[in-house]
Structure formats: C-alpha cells, structure tokens
Amino acid sequence: MFGIDSAELLVVALVALVVIGPKDLPNLMRTVGHWVGRARGMARHFRSGIDTMIREAELEEMEKKWREENERIMREHPMIPDAATESSNPSPDEISAEDPTPPASGQPSSRPAGELP
C-alpha cells in the first residue's frame, strides 16, 4: 500500500503500544478506522462522480454521431410519397361497398337470415 513491509508495520504497532498505552490503543484504532472509512467513502463518491461525468460525455458524443449519421442517411434517401401506390390502394369503406361476391358455403353471411342477395 505505502511501501511498508510487515516488519516495519510491527515496529510501528509496538511503538504505538508503548507510547499510547494498551488502555487507549483500542479507542485510537477505532477512531483511525472511522476516519479511514470516511476517507474511503469520500474517495468512492468522488470516483463515482467522475465516472458519471465521463459516461455522460461519452453518451453526448455518441448521440452527436448518431444524429450526424441519421442526417446523412436522410439526405441520401429522402422519403418521397408515392402518389401511384396511394391511389391504387382502396380504403376499407370502398372495399366493402364494391364487394358483390357472397361468402363461400360454410361461412356465415353478414346479411340477416331471411334476406336474399
């Protein structure tokens, strides 16, 4: 972590035990642990904020590329309504008015039972 070997860490722990004393050492370690935890939490929060900003910048860049590509495609292939296909396709109302064929046998008729064609 900081380049501290296990032997060096043992020496620091022994010095802390002698200087602080065995009675106050647990409270000190608890306090140090609390502050280390808070520092890690702040570092995690900072890192997540940076990651979010990077992700948003990448998203904006991708949206810009997509928009440019979409505009290029729309310029190359403009949508032109085809008048010939619109007039040749009758509406559903025109189909029902023009349909003189009776339903095939076995299929129910849309006319009342007593009415003849």
Side-chain angles (χ1 to χ4, degrees), residues 4 17 24 27 33 38 42-43 47 57 59 65 71-72 76 86-87 95 115:
I4 299 175
L17 182 63
D24 295 328
N27 289 336
R38 287 185 62 146
M42 290 189 324
R47 189 176 313 133
L59 181 62
K65 286 180 182 178
E71 289 173 358
R72 182 190 64 82
E76 290 177 2
E86 287 179 4
S87 65
I95 292 173
E115 187 179 321

Side-chain angles (χ1 to χ4, degrees), residues 3 10 35 46 70 108:
L10 183 61
W35 286 105
F46 179 74
N70 191 26

Side-chain angles (χ1 to χ4, degrees), residues 33-91:
H34 174 75
W35 286 105
V36 167
R38 287 185 62 146
R40 283 184 175 178
M42 290 189 324
R44 190 179 322 112
H45 181 72
F46 179 74
R47 189 176 313 133
S48 70
I50 295 294
D51 289 343
T52 301
M53 289 189 321
I54 291 171
R55 206 174 11 253
E56 287 175 356
E58 288 174 350
L59 181 62
E60 289 174 3
E61 182 179 323
M62 290 188 68
E63 286 177 345
K64 181 181 176 186
K65 286 180 182 178
W66 178 82
R67 200 174 307 112
E68 289 171 354
E69 183 68 16
N70 191 26
E71 289 173 358
R72 182 190 64 82
I73 291 171
M74 294 305 286
R75 277 193 310 270
E76 290 177 2
H77 306 285
M79 294 178 58
I80 301 173
D82 189 9
T85 58
E86 287 179 4
S87 65
S88 66
N89 293 335
S91 69

Side-chain angles (χ1 to χ4, degrees), residues 12-31:
V12 169
L14 287 174
V15 169
L17 182 63
V18 170
V19 171
I20 297 171
K23 184 177 179 183
D24 295 328
L25 190 60
N27 289 336
L28 177 69
M29 296 306 289
R30 191 175 302 119
T31 303

